Amino acid sequence: MHRLTDAPRIDTDLEHIDYRTTPAYYIDTEQVTDPVVLHLLNCCPTVFGLKKAMVDLLAGHLGIALPEPAGTVEPGATVRGNVVVAAGAVIAEGAFVTGPALVCPGAVIEAGARVRDNTVIGPDCRIGFGAEVTRSLLTGGVFMKHTSFVGDSVLGLGVNIGAFVSTTGLRVTSGPVTEPATEEVCAHLAGHRIATGQTKFGAVVGDGVIVPAGTVLQPATLIGAHTLLYPKTQVGGFFPAGSQGR
């Protein structure tokens, strides 16, 4: 079960870890059924390490075996690179998937959806027409049935992404945008700036959160499990688990 726990804030060398930056604050790991996803969550002291962990996992550097590619890739689907489709998963006709990527059992990438670049789609997720996911972990049971974008992010169990929702992973307050990005994105928690170690970091959305249609999540947004978000054009900052956000 999720518990609201105050702990010393994290500093840049991770000597002290604030519980509100750990995967367990956002995701009930006891409910995670997929062994690969659970391994990812357990190997990272903070949510900010999950992007690199996915890169290492898909490159074979974490010492955990990926499932056999026994899933279904329908004729007419476009699949490029190293894409592992586990048994019971489906990449439908008209979907686009570019590896490295892992599609876990029961997940469906539907026609017109796009998944790319070091992404793990957890079990029983549904990615629908016009939805795009990149460099992100979808823990399980995530619904993105409409046009939307999730990048450089972590979505907990049962998260529902409404139509025209977008995460943003790059701050644009210091001059022209460069690619690749060079400026670190920091999160803000209890009045402190928290180093993410990332030049692009979108959002962490905890278990059971529904992100209303049309919402833009600002860089390094942290939304605790079972938070109620009211419709709003832009959302950013930290939302404690079980809170209400306006």
Side-chain angles (χ1 to χ4, degrees):
M1 296 293 294
H2 291 283
R3 297 185 299 274
L4 300 183
T5 303
D6 290 327
R9 72 179 181 88
I10 184 173
D11 60 19
T12 54
D13 60 5
L14 299 181
E15 288 180 357
H16 302 93
I17 293 178
D18 188 320
Y19 181 55
R20 295 167 295 181
T21 67
T22 66
Y25 185 79
Y26 300 90
I27 299 160
D28 185 354
T29 55
E30 293 183 359
Q31 302 302 316
V32 175
T33 59
D34 188 88
V36 176
V37 173
L38 185 60
H39 184 92
L40 278 172
L41 296 171
N42 287 337
C43 76
C44 294
T46 76
V47 291
F48 308 126
L50 284 166
K51 275 181 60 180
K52 182 179 185 305
M54 284 190 293
V55 172
D56 291 340
L57 168 76
L58 296 171
H61 298 155
L62 283 189
I64 181 172
L66 297 178
E68 291 295 320
T72 300
V73 179
E74 294 183 353
T78 300
V79 178
R80 299 189 178 100
N82 179 26
V83 177
V84 178
V85 186
V90 177
I91 299 179
E93 176 185 5
F96 295 82
V97 182
T98 303
L102 168 63
V103 185
C104 294
V108 178
I109 314 300
E110 299 177 358
R114 184 180 181 97
V115 173
R116 60 185 176 89
D117 299 343
N118 292 298
T119 287
V120 174
I121 304 296
D124 302 317
C125 292
R126 296 292 186 274
I127 313 301
F129 184 88
E132 180 177 0
V133 185
T134 181
R135 299 183 299 274
S136 295
L137 169 63
L138 278 56
T139 307
V142 171
F143 271 45
M144 291 180 61
K145 298 287 287 184
H146 308 287
T147 299
S148 51
F149 173 79
V150 168
D152 305 285
S153 297
V154 178
L155 304 186
L157 299 166
V159 167
N160 192 312
I161 301 294
F164 304 109
V165 167
S166 179
T167 65
T168 55
L170 179 66
R171 296 201 184 278
V172 292
T173 56
S174 59
V177 174
T178 60
E179 187 64 40
T182 56
E183 183 179 357
E184 182 179 30
V185 175
C186 290
H188 295 267
L189 180 60
H192 300 286
R193 286 169 57 88
I194 308 297
T196 68
Q198 310 290 326
T199 56
K200 289 184 178 179
F201 196 87
V204 180
V205 183
D207 292 350
V209 173
I210 298 172
V211 183
T215 302
V216 175
L217 299 179
Q218 297 174 7
T221 296
L222 305 175
I223 303 173
H226 307 295
T227 293
L228 174 61
L229 293 179
Y230 291 93
K232 190 176 181 181
T233 303
Q234 292 193 28
V235 170
F238 170 70
F239 296 82
S243 63
Q244 297 183 8
R246 294 184 181 273

